[in-house]
Amino acid sequence: MSLTLPFTKGHGTGNDFVIVTDPDGALDLSADQVAALCDRRFGIGADGLLRVVRSVAVDDGADAAAGGAEWFMDYRNADGSVAEMCGNGIRVYLHYLLQSQLADLDEHGILIGTRNGSLRVTRSDLGYEVDLGAYRIEPGEVLVRARGLGVARPGLRVDVGNPHVVVALPAEDELAGLDLTAVPVLDPVPAAGANVEFTVPADPLVVDGVGRVRMRVFERGVGETLSCGTGVAATALAVREWAGAAAPDRWRVDVPGGTLGVRMVDGHVLLSGPATLVFSGQITLA
């Protein structure tokens, strides 16, 4: 039996998503159906899927509903697997809510439910800013092997609601020479897997009180993407950790899809950047 599904395509600095509206939680998309929608040759093409659903209509949204978050971001990776959160995705999600007149945004922002709790999103000079909440620098290094690296490099484990391993590289040419069509190999492998970021700090690292770095990312369940919001936050946190006590609390991170901002405030990390809706249509799934 076929399913005809209205959708919208959106992106945040090139990290792109299929958006489907399901306010009452009537859709039950399988992993194969999500993967088909996100397939870049046979589907719409995207790094993931955002299902727009009310918190009260989804099992994972009970706490969000109780805390006052009307909407829940049901995020799925491109392979159909369930993910905790997406920093670029939540900005695109909010932009879709506003453009569809499903929500309003005042100076206090709006709470959106995720599998990493309810997160507040406000407007910013770069577009929207999301408070990703508390973060953790995890103990113990992970050795990372990637195609294009001559030797394994140590990575710092950073948790910003989903797991990341950040690797520092010494030069731009080494960053550019990475072949991220192959999955990086982690040793030891984190229990839930991890997104892997490779970064090169700018020289000078800090200008006018703002740190600058460049980054590429391999997202678990997706592959290399043009941007990863939580990965940008994790990268800024890792470089700040390596730089020591004098490092700034404001960062600009360049990714292949653009530039994102990161702030650290009272033990929380905040991510800011643009959100764009590209086109809408309908697709029929088997």
Side-chain angles (χ1 to χ4, degrees):
M1 190 172 179
S2 63
L3 169 68
T4 299
L5 192 64
F7 71 89
T8 296
K9 176 76 176 282
H11 77 89
T13 54
N15 196 187
D16 59 344
F17 310 95
V18 174
I19 308 162
V20 296
T21 306
D22 183 27
D24 300 320
L27 283 176
D28 183 18
L29 294 174
S30 68
D32 286 344
Q33 287 176 316
V34 172
L37 289 168
C38 294
D39 191 290
R40 294 195 181 278
R41 291 180 175 84
F42 298 102
I44 301 163
D47 295 324
L49 180 137
L50 304 172
R51 182 169 66 119
V52 178
V53 60
R54 286 192 171 89
S55 296
V56 295
V58 61
D59 290 343
D60 288 338
D63 289 343
E70 179 182 4
W71 295 98
F72 184 88
M73 186 180 76
D74 178 17
Y75 179 59
R76 309 278 290 276
N77 291 317
D79 65 355
S81 59
V82 173
E84 301 90 343
M85 226 294 288
C86 178
N88 287 321
I90 198 168
R91 299 194 320 275
V92 174
Y93 187 99
L94 173 59
H95 191 54
Y96 178 83
L97 288 178
L98 298 177
Q99 294 299 305
S100 303
Q101 298 183 330
L102 294 172
D104 296 314
L105 186 63
D106 61 20
E107 67 273 15
H108 303 294
I110 187 173
L111 280 177
I112 294 176
T114 77
R115 293 186 179 89
N116 187 44
S118 294
L119 305 180
R120 186 169 296 279
V121 191
T122 57
R123 294 194 188 275
S124 79
D125 56 351
L126 290 179
Y128 302 103
E129 182 175 66
V130 55
D131 183 345
L132 297 174
Y135 58 86
R136 294 193 307 274
I137 306 294
E138 304 281 12
E141 288 185 338
V142 175
L143 279 180
V144 179
R145 294 175 174 83
R147 188 178 292 170
L149 287 183
V151 295
R153 302 295 171 85
L156 184 66
R157 298 172 59 204
V158 183
D159 191 300
V160 289
N162 57 1
H164 296 264
V165 174
V166 183
V167 178
L169 300 178
E172 290 277 357
D173 59 349
E174 195 164 21
L175 183 67
L178 287 172
D179 178 1
L180 296 184
T181 60
V183 182
V185 177
L186 307 182
D187 182 20
V189 179
N195 300 325
V196 185
E197 288 79 31
F198 299 89
T199 184
V200 174
D203 185 16
L205 177 63
V206 181
V207 176
D208 296 329
V210 179
R212 294 296 302 251
V213 297
R214 185 175 296 278
M215 183 198 92
R216 289 176 64 190
V217 58
F218 186 98
E219 289 197 57
R220 56 179 183 159
V222 185
E224 183 175 16
T225 59
L226 294 180
S227 179
C228 172
T230 54
V232 161
T235 295
L237 288 164
V239 177
R240 179 174 176 260
E241 177 79 3
W242 291 323
D249 292 329
R250 296 179 65 92
W251 293 80
R252 286 290 183 270
V253 181
D254 294 327
V255 295
T259 300
L260 292 160
V262 180
R263 295 193 297 140
M264 297 85 173
V265 181
D266 297 329
H268 282 215
V269 60
L270 291 84
L271 172 75
S272 60
T276 303
L277 303 180
V278 183
F279 62 87
S280 297
Q282 290 188 344
I283 189 169
T284 299
L285 290 173

